[in-house]
Amino acid sequence: MESTNQLSRRKFLKITGVTSSVLALGISSGFGLVKGEVQKYELDGLDATGLNDFIFIDQTGQVTLVNHRPEMGQGVYQSMPMLLAEELEVNMDDIQVIQAAGDKEKYAHQLVGGSNSVRKSWEPSRKMGAAARIMLIQAAATKWNIDPTQCYASKGTVYQKDTKHSFNYGELVADAALLEAPKNPPLKSSKDFKILGKPLPRKDTPLKTNGEAVFGLDLKIPNMAYASIERSPYFLGKVKSFNKEEIEAMPGVLHVVKSEMPVFSHTREGVAVVATDYYSALSARKKLKIEWDNSEFERINQEEIYTKFNAALIEDQGFTKLNEGDFVKDYSNTEKQLDAIYELPYESHATMEPMNGVAYVEGDKCTYWGSIQAPIWIKGAIANSLAIKPENVTTNVTFLGGGFGRRAFIDFPVEAALLSKAIGGKPVKVVWTREDDNTQGPFRTGCATRMQAGIKGGQLTSLKHHMAGQAIGFQWPGADKTKFPNNILEGITTQYDIANFQTKVSPVELNIPVIWWRSVYSSTNAFPHESFIDEVANELGEDPMQFRIDRLQKHPRFVKVLEKAAQESDWTESRANKGVAIAECFGSICAHVVEVARNTKGKLYVKKVTSVIDCGQTVNSDTIVAQTEGNVIMALGACKSEITFKDGRAVEQNFNTYKMMRIDETPEIDVHIMKNEEDPGGVGEPGLPPLAPALANAVFAESGQRIRKLPFDINKI
């Protein structure tokens, strides 16, 4: 995958096929805003560092898209050109993709996280395609001396209606490039879509199956050294001494130096072994003898973590988010009160490609290559850490072997940049082991949640959702801890019609770094909320599906999703071994019905998951199915695995103890996509939050055993 910052002007001209004329369009506000106006650029403005456009059409008709969003498996390498092709009226095979480097001025927003890529590009990308199509049609109409309404475009060609006259786009580019670009061209109605919403094969699939795709671990640059770093097993541990001379005498070893990387308000220290090859670096690392200073911080154990979470719930202090009616008054006067604590563990991101990256510091400049989710953030963080200007930092993006939020963090790229500087400005590739990934974090936070419900006159009249866990935002330097931590109560279905409804959070601070994990806090909030809704329905003797539908009547999209889930799962025929849950996440609504069964040995297992997702208007239905299946599998894995801590250290180091889902454990997954004209919602994450509660509710339906703590062993139910 080519990157804009890897291109010389000569190579760019070769790739794009640019000869003497090119039609180049972009969006005036970049892609940080959903809205933006189309802007035309002149060929003279193109050079190796000035590619501030997003699409180019040359005189051969070749269309080149500068994809500003990193591809980590979520499908932007396919969805971005699909948005363009739909309005431009070209085939997908006619579009080649170049990966953009990190640049805030040009692209404004490049983070892939929060399932926002399609949501933020839905209109701008289509506008560019529509503007180019209109300009090309106008150019053809002028040549034929007719009105543009007498022309139409199809498959890279403009045709004159009711004749055999035509021009391909390449023949029109020179004239079209002289026209003013329509800033806000009209877009197609969804009924006219030929590409969007269809299940098309992804453009990156062949690259990832024939070995052409370049991931961070594949990168090699001239004169590059390799580094393996032994970091403190304790988040706040400091290096006191190490056997530098002994290790530097080992074969292939070039340097042995202290390493540092920023992790929120702290600096994690380690000792880096830099060698001519990775094997030498890793082998020498294992011979390190490091004395750590671990004397001035708390080293916590797993049970103490839950003790702190539960103590915060009892103290009942913190921030109230939703406060409808009067929960306290109504709850105290109800005839029946339900009160339950749910607990969730810490989780590792466990990306199949461990963290890695190449950094090269040359004087007051730094170039970084790697599989990263947030090239603009990382560019700024490297500049800040090296005390150089942001414009002197280049961040090149490769394919990502999984991200889930971990690769949006700045720690590992900055560590590589600081190491390159420390060894005198040599390019160095830092490779994390699986054990590094699993034990160093940052992790998804664990949490405890107290759920309370008041029942009066056979009705649910009051509900409280009180969560205690670590707030990601409270870890940053200078964080204002007097304000509600953003998004920490996301994923709670507050759409339920409950007269007295309160949501609350009590942040707990621990010496454990936490960061975004797939669906972020929705992954921790949906489990207690949707499990407890099931408890209430059971207490009232109501069907859990109908209980939800009845209390979501003011939100018809939720109702339709549940009704579809009931239909596709044959809920009304048999629900004795099924559980349901629903959650909204990043603009989409997803419900799962999990069906469990017992094998011939009487062991319980997950037999089938029926998923229904409403993500508004869609781009590639095949990608939506794949992402939802991936969410189900990742969520099932999180139901059986956890990261625990003993004496302040993460215990589970590799996949032998932090177990991934296996193929033979994966149930049948049946995904259904709702069709409507709503704005596009996210796809990469909404399928995860409702899985755990749907599974727990299924277990209860089958066995009568209520699951209030994850992970759990379904085979022991």
Side-chain angles (χ1 to χ4, degrees), residues 148-222:
T149 58
Q150 299 302 307
C151 308
Y152 69 96
S154 176
K155 297 181 179 179
T157 300
V158 178
Y159 296 91
Q160 184 180 152
K161 293 179 180 176
D162 304 323
T163 74
K164 294 183 178 179
H165 299 161
S166 67
F167 291 111
N168 65 47
Y169 281 0
E171 296 173 295
L172 299 170
V173 159
D175 292 335
L178 300 176
L179 301 173
E180 288 295 320
K183 297 184 182 302
N184 292 292
L187 302 177
K188 285 184 178 180
S189 167
S190 60
K191 65 181 174 55
D192 299 321
F193 286 166
K194 302 171 184 173
I195 295 174
L196 296 181
K198 306 296 189 302
L200 297 182
R202 288 173 52 160
K203 294 175 73 71
D204 54 333
T205 299
L207 305 178
K208 292 176 177 175
T209 51
N210 65 19
E212 288 186 23
V214 176
F215 294 84
L217 277 176
D218 298 320
L219 280 172
K220 291 181 180 178
I221 66 171

Side-chain angles (χ1 to χ4, degrees), residues 311-608:
L313 296 176
I314 294 171
E315 292 167 3
D316 202 23
Q317 297 177 350
F319 302 90
T320 299
K321 177 68 172 177
L322 176 72
N323 199 17
E324 292 184 354
D326 190 334
F327 170 81
V328 174
K329 181 179 179 181
D330 186 82
Y331 183 74
S332 62
N333 292 318
T334 49
E335 299 156 359
K336 177 74 175 181
Q337 297 176 345
L338 305 183
D339 193 337
I341 301 287
Y342 291 80
E343 294 177 333
L344 285 95
Y346 288 78
E347 296 286 355
S348 168
H349 296 76
T351 59
M352 288 301 103
E353 180 193 18
M355 299 304 109
N356 66 87
V358 179
Y360 186 13
V361 176
E362 299 174 274
D364 64 348
K365 294 182 172 57
C366 178
T367 304
Y368 182 84
W369 298 262
S371 42
I372 52 178
Q373 287 179 242
I376 293 175
W377 289 358
I378 289 167
K379 180 188 182 85
I382 290 176
N384 184 57
S385 296
L386 296 176
I388 61 178
K389 297 177 180 177
E391 56 265 34
N392 286 358
V393 179
T394 301
T395 47
N396 296 300
V397 183
T398 67
F399 282 117
L400 284 64
F404 313 124
R406 176 65 183 92
R407 284 193 155 89
F409 199 44
I410 53 97
D411 58 342
F412 65 97
V414 171
E415 179 188 54
L418 290 172
L419 180 58
S420 176
K421 181 180 180 179
I423 60 175
K426 186 177 179 64
V428 62
K429 181 175 190 174
V430 179
V431 179
W432 291 46
T433 65
R434 177 64 59 197
E435 289 78 7
D436 294 335
D437 257 3
N438 254 37
T439 58
Q440 297 288 309
F443 308 93
R444 185 199 74 173
T445 185
C447 68
T449 301
R450 184 181 186 185
M451 300 295 304
Q452 295 171 275
I455 296 172
K456 187 164 47 182
Q459 294 293 322
L460 171 63
T461 59
S462 52
L463 186 78
K464 181 177 180 180
H465 183 129
H466 184 187
M467 177 264 206
Q470 289 186 251
I472 297 169
F474 279 11
Q475 301 170 105
W476 295 105
D480 185 350
K481 301 177 184 177
T482 66
K483 294 183 178 179
F484 177 81
N486 288 334
N487 305 321
I488 198 167
L489 291 178
E490 62 189 0
I492 299 173
T493 306
T494 54
Q495 290 84 356
Y496 286 121
D497 189 4
I498 303 170
N500 304 284
F501 199 166
Q502 187 180 82
T503 61
K504 189 171 187 176
V505 61
S506 296
V508 176
E509 296 191 58
L510 300 170
N511 291 330
I512 300 172
V514 297
I515 198 65
W516 320 284
W517 194 78
R518 197 171 190 173
S519 77
V520 200
Y521 285 106
S522 294
S523 73
T524 52
N525 290 330
F527 171 65
H529 197 78
E530 283 295 292
S531 297
F532 194 64
I533 288 293
D534 215 71
E535 291 201 45
V536 175
N538 181 69
E539 179 66 28
L540 293 173
E542 296 188 30
D543 177 335
M545 183 76 78
Q546 192 60 47
F547 180 87
R548 289 172 168 83
I549 291 174
D550 290 344
R551 285 154 185 80
L552 289 167
Q553 288 299 309
K554 295 178 181 176
H555 302 275
R557 290 180 71 183
F558 280 74
V559 171
K560 290 179 181 177
V561 167
L562 287 169
E563 290 176 341
K564 182 71 171 177
Q567 174 189 337
E568 299 296 339
S569 65
D570 294 326
W571 178 271
T572 55
E573 298 298 320
S574 173
R575 61 180 177 86
N577 59 341
K578 296 173 184 171
V580 62
I582 188 169
E584 182 179 24
C585 176
F586 299 136
S588 294
I589 303 162
C590 184
H592 296 306
V593 173
V594 173
E595 180 180 354
V596 297
R598 294 193 181 272
N599 61 23
T600 55
K601 296 181 180 179
K603 301 292 186 182
L604 198 64
Y605 69 99
V606 181
K607 180 180 180 182
K608 182 179 180 181

Side-chain angles (χ1 to χ4, degrees), residues 165-285:
H165 299 161
S166 67
F167 291 111
N168 65 47
Y169 281 0
E171 296 173 295
L172 299 170
V173 159
D175 292 335
L178 300 176
L179 301 173
E180 288 295 320
K183 297 184 182 302
N184 292 292
L187 302 177
K188 285 184 178 180
S189 167
S190 60
K191 65 181 174 55
D192 299 321
F193 286 166
K194 302 171 184 173
I195 295 174
L196 296 181
K198 306 296 189 302
L200 297 182
R202 288 173 52 160
K203 294 175 73 71
D204 54 333
T205 299
L207 305 178
K208 292 176 177 175
T209 51
N210 65 19
E212 288 186 23
V214 176
F215 294 84
L217 277 176
D218 298 320
L219 280 172
K220 291 181 180 178
I221 66 171
N223 302 315
M224 183 180 78
Y226 293 80
S228 186
I229 300 177
E230 183 72 23
R231 302 170 188 85
S232 170
Y234 303 102
F235 180 34
L236 302 181
K238 302 300 179 186
V239 176
K240 290 179 68 174
S241 65
F242 55 97
N243 52 335
K244 177 180 175 71
E245 291 76 14
E246 178 184 349
I247 301 302
E248 283 185 335
M250 294 182 66
V253 175
L254 302 172
H255 306 275
V256 181
V257 297
K258 178 182 171 182
S259 68
E260 294 183 340
M261 66 177 182
V263 183
F264 299 107
S265 299
H266 302 286
T267 299
R268 186 188 284 276
E269 296 187 359
V271 176
V273 178
V274 183
T276 55
D277 59 276
Y278 180 61
Y279 178 79
S280 296
L282 183 62
S283 299
R285 172 187 169 182

